[in-house]
Amino acid sequence: MNLPNPFSFLERGFSHGVHPPHLKSQTEDRQIQRMPFVAEYVMPLNQHLGVPSKAVVEAGQSVQRGELIAEPGGFVSVALHSPVTGRVKAIADFRAADGNFSTGIQIEADNYSTQAIDANEPIDWQSLSTEAFIAEIQKAGIVGMGGAAFPAHVKFSIPDGSRIRHLLINGAECEPYLTNDHRLMMENSDELFRGAEIIRQKLGAEDTVIGVELNKPLAIQILRQRLPSGQPVRIVPLEVKYPQGAEKMLIKAVYGREVPAGRLPRDVQVNVNNVSTVVAIANYFEKAMPLIERVITLSGPGVTYPANLIVPLGTPIREVLAFCGGLREETREVVMGGPMMGRPVSSLDAPVVKGSSGILAMTEAGLLQKKEYPCIRCGRCVEVCPYFLNPARLARLSRVRRYEEMKGYHVMDCVECGCCTYSCPSAIPIVQLIRTGKDHLRRIKEPG
Amino acid sequence: MQKHDPQLLLQHSPILRHDKTTPGVMLDVLLALSPVTIASIWLFGLSAIVVLAACISGAALTEYFFTPTSKRRRILLDGSGLTTGLLLGLTLPPALPAWMAFLGGVVAIGLGKIIWGGLGSNLFNPALVGRAFLLATFPNAMTTWVEPAGSFWNLPSSTLSLPFTLDELDAVSGATPLGLMKFEQQGTPFLELFLGNTAGSLGETSGLLLILGAAYLLLRGDMDWRIPVGILLTAMLFSGALSLVDPTVYPTPLFSVFSGGLLLGALFMATDPVTSPSTPTGAWLFAIGIGVLVILIRVFGGLPEGVMYAILLMNAASPLIERFTQPRVFGYDREDSS
């Protein structure tokens, strides 16, 4: 039985939400390991949100690790770099994790290369103007690495007349199983602080807060020990609750402010970045290393040896799983991301991309299939929805395809955190029905 | 590496689920009602078993025969028909003829649930629909109460009477505490009300056991605490105010709460999630409405008891209440979120 914590009002948090089991013990004590290079990589051109990148290499061409292989396709787009020294094998359509084909650059690794990065001169960020800083971030290919993969430089572009006062670093990691941010905060705390300071100075923010859920006491302890002097940075422990890491929930928990519906964090003068993103920014300015690899958690009951790994982008999921001893026979589903918001993987040939925070292999027991029953209007979904929506009603409307009416119930404010489906005793796929409604409404809004 | 990939499912997130299921909720309700059920058998003997069994079988058989063949097995397993049958049985007088109880079960499920579209679609609490039908059809039998028998082998001849043969009930009739209060202005000691050694419906006599069962439901998270708290507080305040006016005519607040079916209704009937508002503000309004109506009917109406009608009336208002009490959506001001 999961009894509520009677003292939770003393901790910083938000209203509603759920308490899924943490399931982090498999990997939280495992040091980040570097995964060896494999034979072939695929870099999809659309691995971030926004406009796909434009390839600037040709098949047959040799590339160095860290070399530019695709330029930004527009403002809401970033550059891509080769994760490995080798030769471009093809530019063609490759299978992505969701099962669709999308254009990607296939690179064959050079077996005899040292895989060292040529230019590792630090970049003098202090002398950069804000505009030049933003351009550098886009050039480095850095996106939000918490899962959404939204280009980071777009978030840093503040329109005239508004300003950022607070920089908020998201170390909540509220998804069960995932420990990649946890380990990064413990092992790369110095890079984290330096990256945060770069962003803070360039955005002209007054202070920095790193928000960490209380179930990561070691990370909180290490960050506090290594707190750099002379920098306005604080560590704020947060209530353990899902979805604490959702941007607007995190702002509510730390500053007690609600971001108005349809607006962005910058409207309350806050800029939120994931821990991994901040470390990637530090790596770029200090080692001139663009975003070509990331830390992911490999976990779940179907993985033979769970681990936290530095994986070059473009590595096929199959190879990552093989490095960890392969899938157990009883694996029934592989998920990219966390168990609450991740996406099912339809092909193991799909690559690890910038937004992949974890790969989970689930077995029958971990999936806990429940039989669906009629809605008994128990109100659990209403009680857990962090946006105070009425998920049961939205699901009911979606079932009978009354999508237009869903708008009146604020369906577009739903962030699809999945708390409703998680808590539904009748096993109604509430958030899935809501996604259907949102997709439909988006499609009729765009003509054609 | 493996020779072949496993066949992968594409179940969408969230792939983690809370382990609570709808049949689990129903099972919790049945467990919570078990102390009261056992007490009713202890107090009223064999007749309690016969009446409860008749109600449950009436409910279960109706559910079974009025469900599409393909869903029949599942519908009985979800436990909601069983819960309705048991709840109905607990609101009936112990000496009620079994065939009436059976008919009550049939009506509860048939008219209370199936014709609305089954579990989750009904507007009124099914058990109370069954009871309202019985009270309207057999007013005599439904208001003939017996004192607790004190013997397990107690079986009034009326219990097993053949359908449509009975005019007079020959049980040793007693008056319920509410009847005594209403018609003779005579109180009943609190301890007797609390422990349940009084005349009344099968499940309404013992306040202690009802509260125990409800506490279990609260702990398991199956019950909205606002509804019972709201009903009981409103009833106490309202009757308290009345008893200040004239303590010889109007009952005390404690008497109001522990007599009749108020506890059973507030803890197990009004909290039926299907027929109560699911918004927090809505739950408070719903509860206050029931509390006021119960005392109004008891004190100023023609009947000694009003819990059933109070809950049924508020059931009817529940969709409307829910519609006007939608919570403020995150990131909106109160005005523009409605």
Side-chain angles (χ1 to χ4, degrees), chain A residues 6 18 39-40 88 90 129 139 165 230 307 314 327 330-331 369 403 415 427 433 444:
Chain A
V18 294
E40 274 177 6
V88 177
S129 67
K139 225 173 82 185
R165 288 181 57 201
L327 287 178
E330 59 274 23
T331 303
Q369 300 260 17
Y403 302 124
V415 294
L433 286 164
I444 49 177

Side-chain angles (χ1 to χ4, degrees), chain A residues 1 3 23 176 248-249 258-261 318 322 327 329 331-335 339-342 344-346 348 362 366-380 382 386-390 393 410 413 418 421-423 425-426 431-432 435, chain B residues 1-2 4-23 25-26 74 77-78 119-122 219-224 226 272-280 318-319 322-323 326-332 336-338:
Chain A
M1 195 164 27
L3 283 180
L23 303 169
K248 293 184 178 182
M249 297 304 129
E258 282 185 16
V259 179
R318 182 189 305 284
L327 287 178
E329 269 307 312
T331 303
R332 302 298 296 128
E333 175 160 4
V334 176
V335 176
M340 298 297 285
M341 284 191 80
V345 170
S346 68
L348 296 183
M362 307 301 292
L367 283 170
L368 189 78
Q369 300 260 17
K370 291 202 288 189
K371 212 180 333 175
E372 192 174 333
Y373 285 93
C375 172
I376 54 167
R377 299 164 33 81
C378 64
R380 282 183 174 80
V382 178
Y387 279 81
F388 304 92
L389 304 173
N390 188 332
R393 180 173 299 240
H410 300 286
D413 290 308
T421 307
Y422 171 78
S423 58
S426 283
V431 73
Q432 292 84 339
R435 275 181 205 142
Chain B
M1 201 196 259
Q2 292 162 285
H4 61 91
D5 288 348
Q7 283 211 319
L8 294 180
L9 292 174
L10 292 178
Q11 187 188 324
H12 277 267
S13 60
I15 55 174
L16 289 184
R17 301 291 172 92
H18 197 274
D19 50 13
K20 175 82 74 190
T21 62
T22 293
V25 174
M26 298 296 168
R74 203 171 110 182
L77 289 177
D78 78 17
L119 176 62
S121 308
N122 47 303
L219 264 179
R220 298 278 296 164
D222 294 327
M223 180 197 269
D224 188 348
R226 297 173 188 92
D272 170 18
V274 176
T275 53
S276 60
S278 57
T279 57
S318 164
E322 181 163 321
R323 187 147 137 213
Q326 287 298 314
R328 183 191 65 89
V329 175
F330 185 93
Y332 285 88
D336 54 58
S337 77
S338 62

Side-chain angles (χ1 to χ4, degrees), chain B residues 249-303:
Chain B
V249 182
Y250 302 119
T252 62
L254 267 185
F255 178 84
S256 294
V257 166
F258 283 94
S259 63
L262 185 55
L263 274 178
L264 182 63
L267 297 172
F268 291 98
M269 301 281 191
T271 51
D272 170 18
V274 176
T275 53
S276 60
S278 57
T279 57
T281 329
W284 283 119
L285 289 176
F286 177 79
I288 291 170
I290 292 176
V292 169
L293 282 173
V294 166
I295 303 298
L296 272 182
I297 297 173
R298 277 186 182 178
V299 174
F300 300 106
L303 300 168

Side-chain angles (χ1 to χ4, degrees), chain A residues 223-271:
Chain A
L223 287 174
R224 284 203 163 135
Q225 277 166 3
R226 306 195 66 92
L227 212 60
S229 55
Q231 282 179 22
V233 52
R234 292 185 289 144
I235 313 300
V236 174
L238 304 165
E239 187 189 349
V240 183
K241 188 151 101 173
Y242 177 86
Q244 185 67 269
E247 209 166 56
K248 293 184 178 182
M249 297 304 129
L250 190 65
I251 293 173
K252 170 82 182 156
V254 173
Y255 300 108
R257 293 192 64 179
E258 282 185 16
V259 179
R263 309 299 289 276
L264 297 169
R266 69 170 183 234
D267 293 310
V268 292
Q269 303 183 316
V270 180
N271 184 278

Side-chain angles (χ1 to χ4, degrees), chain B residues 309-328:
Chain B
Y309 291 119
I311 295 176
L312 285 174
L313 280 170
M314 290 312 289
N315 281 164
S318 164
L320 207 61
I321 293 175
E322 181 163 321
R323 187 147 137 213
F324 289 114
T325 55
Q326 287 298 314
R328 183 191 65 89

Side-chain angles (χ1 to χ4, degrees), chain A residues 78 137 142-144 149-157 271 273 277 281:
Chain A
V78 294
I137 298 287
I142 293 169
V143 298
F150 186 72
H153 69 277
V154 182
K155 268 199 206 172
F156 295 147
S157 308
N271 184 278
N273 288 286
T277 316
I281 287 173

